[in-house]
Amino acid sequence: MMNRARWLAAAFGLAAAQLGAAAFADAIANDFRPIPAGRFESVIAPQPGVTAADVRAFDLAITPVTNAQFAAFVRAQPAWRRGRVAPLFADTRYLAHWPDAETPTPAQAQQPVTQVSWFAARAYCAAQGGRLPTWHEWEYAAAADATRRDARADPAWRQRLLDWYAQPADELLPAVGQSPANVYGVRDLHGLVWEWVDDAGSLMVSADNRDQGDDPDLLKFCGSGAVTMEQKDQYAVLMRVAMLSSLKASYTTATLGFRCARDADGESR
Amino acid sequence: MKPINGLRGTALALAVLAALSACNGEQPHAAGAAVSAAQATQDTGGSARGDFGPPQGEPIKAVLTSPPNVPPPVNRKHPAKVIVDLEVRELDMEISEGVKYTFWTFGGTVPGSFIRIRQGDTVEFHLKNHPDSKMPHNIDLHGVTGPGGGAASSFTAPGHESQFTFKALNQGLFIYHCATAPVGMHVANGMYGLILVEPPEGLSKVDREYYVVQGDYYTVGKYREKGYQAFDMQKAIDENPTYVLFNGAESALVGANALKANVGETVRLYVGNGGPNLVSSFHVIGEIFDKLWFEGGTRFQENVQTTLIPAGGAAITEFRLEVPGSYVLVDHSIFRAFNKGALAILKVDGAEDKSIYSGKEVDNTYLGDKAVSLASVSEASQAAASGTLTKEQQIKAGGSLYNGTCSVCHQANGEGLPDVFPPLAKSDFLMADKTRAITVVLNGLSGKVTVNGKDFTSVMPPMSQLNDDEVANILSYVTNSWGNQGPAVSPEEVAKVRATTQRPQGAAH
């Protein structure tokens, strides 16, 4: 732990030295909200025959990471600059929407960052002393609406989610934090962007990760583990799993961003 | 094992019967051999005889066409490597006049691009998902032999491309569709098309070929409710479509977009049904299919009126045109045609032949109405929105709407039908009370009414699916036509009546 803390301090020190104070504050301004421990019915069974997932208490960022925040990270860690990042870690469209390799446009600044790979998202969170949320953590927090921890049975809640999924992605993204906070005080879990999760790889359609079901080929062509998905009426969530499962960790797309999480005691795993 | 023994027993019994019945001098064995020989020559051998060896010559880039067009015949005597480039686009397009819907498409159209290859061809398939897409997509081609029909190999994130290769072992006309979860929603949003695998000898030459695919659509708003309409998952699960359409829009194949042909020509239609839910009773009003390749298979039936096309299935029809006029393609599960949009027009030009048909228009009642341009309606809506709507615009728009909605009963000349449908022309009942007229349109009318001294006791269904603008325009038209003269009816007056009366559910034409 000491080593990690020292490394982080060094990283931040380096970053602080390179950036203006305001930009640095922006870079670490990921406010978190505590999410209490709980048990819930996930669309993805944690194990065969087990439908309830246990989630330990954790902290989740209020909003997805913005372009401005990610730009500060890129300036602090040039290895994650567009053009310098190893092709293994990010495809050719990585941050391609920025006019240059370090700076988004002013209009983009408060929009959620997209066109980022899983590797880059993970590195960003690690640099903040955090991590990506797991799928179950994300799903658990995203089941809430403004008044209920689990609003998933409400048809109106489902239709709102589907409405966003049905719209094409060619419009300008809104800034983060515009949607109402859910019961935990977290925003934008639905209706803004897709979000990377730490264990996205276990949802993936890749030869080494999909061989656990009864018929892996069947899982593949149904696109997202539809066969093993519990609660088949949760279409909106199903589509999110489908989206994540279509991605490799180096992939970037125009509607995929991320937010960070950390363990409840403030340590990352 | 038991059932097999049972079957064998039946076969033996039939053989004995055949032998017994052959006592009249025929030679049963020879006849049986002739039958099996005939079957052998007719049998194309399916996939077992669909591999004509490795591809020859340079790879060929497939010609893809947007509906209703069909690529030219393959016209090739050897198997080739064919490269298909298909791009997925998610697009806002018009599903009906003034109604927007987000379609997910193969190639930017609904149905997707038509693919035409030859049996035995090796197809190198590139599926590209446009960077603006929000969803991942894949493709399951029913003409592919292998698990998932290609879906497993083509699952593609936005801004990426997948490639897979297959050999087309079976000839026929096949649907392709997206199979990404939730599959039903991807299909309901328009993700399907047709791939034609020609037999090695090709198809016979015809004068025209067209590409039509039926689909059912589920929107949150009612049929023809204006503005942007979102997908309604619950209606889709309930199999209760808002629209049933050919080629993805009410206007896709009518008016200026109608299919065209000439008298004396033979037309071949490649017709698919994307579903996701409904089975089509496909029919062309006023024509008989001279040949029909049921379910897109190898053999044809002759002289068919209506054919079933399953969801995820297709059919090929051929017919020669003898009489000019407008022929209406419908789903003969007929409410879908007149209340949900499943109408398309084949317009045939040429000289009349009175010896075949007396010359009366084939589909005057059905079509004249629906084929009317709705330009005046959209002009009136725009004028209403900007507050410049005139009585003349209302009457003009109302006329188009009247022809599409009311004239089937009340007749185009407003005279109605004696003893059945009351007249609107010079109608004392209509002109006496404006509010009552609005109420009748919105809520329908049943029971005895007296119009111009004559009693009528039929039932008019509620027309509350019409919006306030439409009702106002229709009433302005009927109260100012055929000798009637009255003030215009405003949308506000309609809204007022609508708000104070119970709105029946499930209103229809």
Side-chain angles (χ1 to χ4, degrees):
Chain A
M1 278 299 118
M2 274 311 290
N3 278 343
R4 173 182 282 266
R6 204 174 290 150
W7 182 86
L8 280 175
F12 284 152
L14 181 66
Q18 289 182 346
L19 302 173
F24 176 64
D26 206 16
I28 58 166
N30 283 313
D31 275 339
F32 290 83
R33 286 285 180 272
I35 312 291
R39 164 173 284 222
F40 81 119
E41 296 286 324
S42 170
V43 298
I44 297 177
Q47 295 163 39
V50 180
T51 58
D54 284 309
V55 176
R56 292 195 299 175
F58 69 106
D59 296 339
L60 188 63
I62 295 173
T63 59
V65 173
T66 65
N67 280 306
Q69 289 170 333
F70 200 82
F73 163 72
V74 166
R75 285 194 290 271
Q77 296 200 20
W80 291 103
R81 269 179 59 143
R82 178 178 92 198
R84 209 178 290 183
V85 68
L88 199 60
F89 292 147
D91 67 20
T92 52
R93 292 171 52 83
Y94 175 71
L95 297 178
H97 58 311
W98 291 1
D100 73 49
E102 289 189 338
T103 331
T105 66
Q108 290 171 332
Q110 293 310 310
Q111 292 171 4
V113 67
T114 58
Q115 315 269 59
V116 284
S117 66
W118 177 82
F119 291 111
R122 215 160 174 255
Y124 175 96
C125 289
Q128 315 298 326
R131 57 178 172 81
L132 289 171
T134 66
W135 167 258
H136 280 136
E137 286 172 341
W138 190 94
E139 185 190 7
Y140 175 66
D145 68 2
T147 56
R148 296 167 289 190
R149 283 195 182 182
D150 192 343
R152 294 177 297 171
D154 182 351
W157 182 88
R158 292 182 193 173
Q159 188 61 43
R160 272 202 304 280
L161 267 54
L162 282 172
D163 287 352
W164 175 71
Y165 293 166
Q167 307 266 336
D170 52 359
E171 288 161 29
L172 220 54
L173 279 170
V176 302
Q178 309 282 303
S179 68
N182 72 9
V183 71
Y184 306 114
V186 174
R187 296 170 189 269
D188 302 331
L189 285 162
H190 299 288
L192 189 60
V193 283
W194 308 106
E195 295 181 22
W196 281 114
V197 293
D198 192 54
D199 49 354
S202 65
L203 311 169
M204 278 183 191
V205 185
S206 62
D208 51 345
N209 281 314
R210 301 275 300 196
D211 296 342
Q212 295 148 13
D214 293 338
D215 185 348
D217 286 333
L218 203 58
L219 297 188
K220 281 180 195 167
F221 83 76
C222 282
S224 67
V227 175
T228 56
M229 293 270 293
E230 307 294 328
Q231 304 183 32
K232 290 194 170 57
D233 51 345
Q234 294 291 343
Y235 301 97
V237 181
L238 184 92
M239 290 163 80
R240 195 168 278 264
V241 178
M243 177 62 194
L244 288 170
S245 66
S246 75
L247 301 164
K248 291 179 183 162
S250 62
Y251 276 19
T252 75
T253 89
T255 42
L256 176 68
F258 70 101
R259 73 178 71 216
C260 302
R262 61 188 186 201
D263 292 354
D265 56 8
E267 305 266 349
S268 74
R269 274 181 194 163
Chain B
M1 291 312 285
K2 273 229 162 110
I4 293 174
N5 283 337
L7 279 176
R8 240 178 233 157
T10 310
L12 273 177
L14 288 174
V16 170
L17 272 178
L20 287 174
S21 67
C23 293
N24 58 3
E26 285 178 21
Q27 296 178 328
H29 295 296
V35 167
S36 47
Q39 277 171 349
T41 52
Q42 282 174 9
D43 183 354
T44 60
S47 57
R49 270 193 270 157
D51 189 344
F52 309 136
Q56 300 169 26
E58 287 299 302
I60 297 163
K61 204 162 154 42
V63 176
L64 303 183
T65 57
S66 298
N69 299 312
V70 177
V74 168
N75 210 7
R76 182 154 38 77
K77 298 290 173 225
H78 58 84
K81 179 172 190 173
V82 180
I83 296 164
V84 175
D85 260 313
L86 195 54
E87 185 191 43
V88 173
R89 297 296 311 263
E90 299 171 1
L91 299 169
D92 279 345
M93 298 193 288
E94 203 157 68
I95 191 168
S96 179
E97 178 83 29
V99 187
K100 289 266 188 217
Y101 185 76
T102 303
F103 289 91
W104 297 348
T105 72
F106 287 109
T109 56
V110 178
S113 309
F114 195 107
I115 306 166
R116 186 169 194 160
I117 57 171
R118 179 180 183 268
Q119 188 182 14
D121 279 351
T122 297
V123 178
E124 182 183 293
F125 206 102
H126 297 254
L127 189 70
K128 296 169 177 173
N129 192 357
H130 194 274
D132 282 347
S133 293
K134 196 174 262 178
M135 304 300 304
H137 300 285
N138 63 7
I139 191 166
D140 168 356
L141 298 119
H142 289 184
V144 167
T145 304
S153 321
S154 60
F155 193 35
T156 310
H160 291 84
E161 174 184 346
S162 298
Q163 180 188 325
F164 66 101
T165 301
F166 67 93
K167 189 169 273 188
L169 297 179
N170 293 82
Q171 56 179 270
L173 181 63
F174 301 96
I175 279 276
Y176 64 78
H177 65 93
C178 182
T180 299
V183 179
M185 181 175 177
H186 284 254
V187 172
N189 284 345
M191 296 200 78
Y192 43 75
L194 287 177
I195 175 168
L196 173 64
V197 184
E198 288 189 7
E201 69 278 13
L203 297 171
S204 65
K205 195 176 175 321
V206 292
D207 299 298
R208 290 177 196 268
E209 296 184 312
Y210 286 117
Y211 172 27
V212 178
V213 178
Q214 179 173 327
D216 28 304
Y217 300 85
Y218 305 83
T219 64
V220 171
K222 289 184 184 184
Y223 174 66
R224 287 191 176 171
E225 193 167 313
K226 302 288 184 282
Y228 180 82
Q229 291 297 332
F231 169 71
D232 189 321
M233 180 63 90
Q234 194 55 49
K235 278 188 189 168
I237 295 168
D238 296 341
E239 304 195 6
N240 176 27
T242 324
Y243 293 88
V244 181
L245 302 172
F246 294 118
N247 290 5
E250 265 203 297
S251 61
L253 296 171
V254 299
N257 301 325
L259 305 175
K260 290 172 186 67
N262 296 312
V263 166
E265 291 181 334
T266 298
V267 172
R268 182 183 290 144
L269 300 180
Y270 298 98
V271 189
N273 184 7
N277 289 322
L278 301 187
V279 171
S280 174
S281 308
F282 184 71
H283 175 75
V284 177
I285 299 175
E287 260 299 342
I288 295 147
F289 304 139
D290 296 331
K291 290 182 182 173
L292 169 75
W293 285 261
F294 185 52
E295 294 175 345
T298 304
R299 285 188 221 307
F300 61 80
Q301 171 65 286
E302 294 184 82
N303 307 316
V304 175
Q305 57 187 314
T306 301
T307 186
L308 283 176
I309 308 180
I316 305 173
T317 74
E318 257 181 46
F319 45 92
R320 186 172 181 274
L321 298 162
E322 282 85 14
V323 178
S326 289
Y327 294 81
V328 194
L329 285 59
V330 294
D331 181 342
H332 214 295
S333 304
I334 206 72
F335 269 101
R336 299 173 189 170
F338 296 108
N339 297 73
K340 298 189 172 187
L343 279 177
I345 307 293
L346 171 64
K347 184 141 182 12
V348 178
D349 286 330
E352 289 188 23
D353 184 345
K354 305 260 183 195
S355 71
I356 296 175
Y357 192 76
S358 67
K360 186 175 174 183
E361 278 290 316
V362 180
D363 295 305
N364 212 4
T365 311
Y366 293 129
L367 219 1
D369 314 348
K370 290 283 179 180
V372 165
S373 159
L374 292 176
S376 57
V377 176
S378 87
E379 184 191 319
S381 329
Q382 281 164 16
S386 60
T388 60
L389 183 65
T390 65
K391 186 175 170 187
E392 285 64 38
Q393 282 173 322
Q394 279 196 279
I395 291 171
K396 216 169 144 199
S400 295
L401 292 163
Y402 177 88
N403 286 333
T405 304
C406 321
S407 67
V408 175
C409 299
H410 291 292
Q411 303 302 305
N413 58 10
E415 301 286 350
L417 287 178
D419 304 323
V420 185
F421 301 123
L424 301 175
K426 305 189 185 72
S427 159
D428 56 357
F429 184 86
L430 170 70
M431 301 306 288
D433 185 341
K434 192 200 267 190
T435 305
R436 180 175 67 187
I438 298 171
T439 309
V440 168
V441 173
L442 290 176
N443 292 351
L445 184 65
S446 58
K448 197 177 92 167
V449 289
T450 306
V451 181
N452 296 348
K454 291 199 174 113
D455 289 346
F456 293 85
T457 47
S458 68
V459 176
M460 170 167 159
M463 298 291 160
S464 59
Q465 83 281 0
L466 299 168
N467 65 29
D468 296 341
D469 283 344
E470 291 167 337
V471 173
N473 293 344
I474 289 171
L475 283 172
S476 300
Y477 172 71
V478 299
T479 55
N480 289 281
S481 301
W482 320 300
N484 295 340
Q485 273 192 326
V489 176
S490 74
E492 292 72 27
E493 289 171 306
V494 178
K496 219 165 118 191
V497 174
R498 198 192 289 269
T500 57
T501 56
Q502 200 193 351
R503 189 178 190 185
Q505 288 301 304
H509 288 193

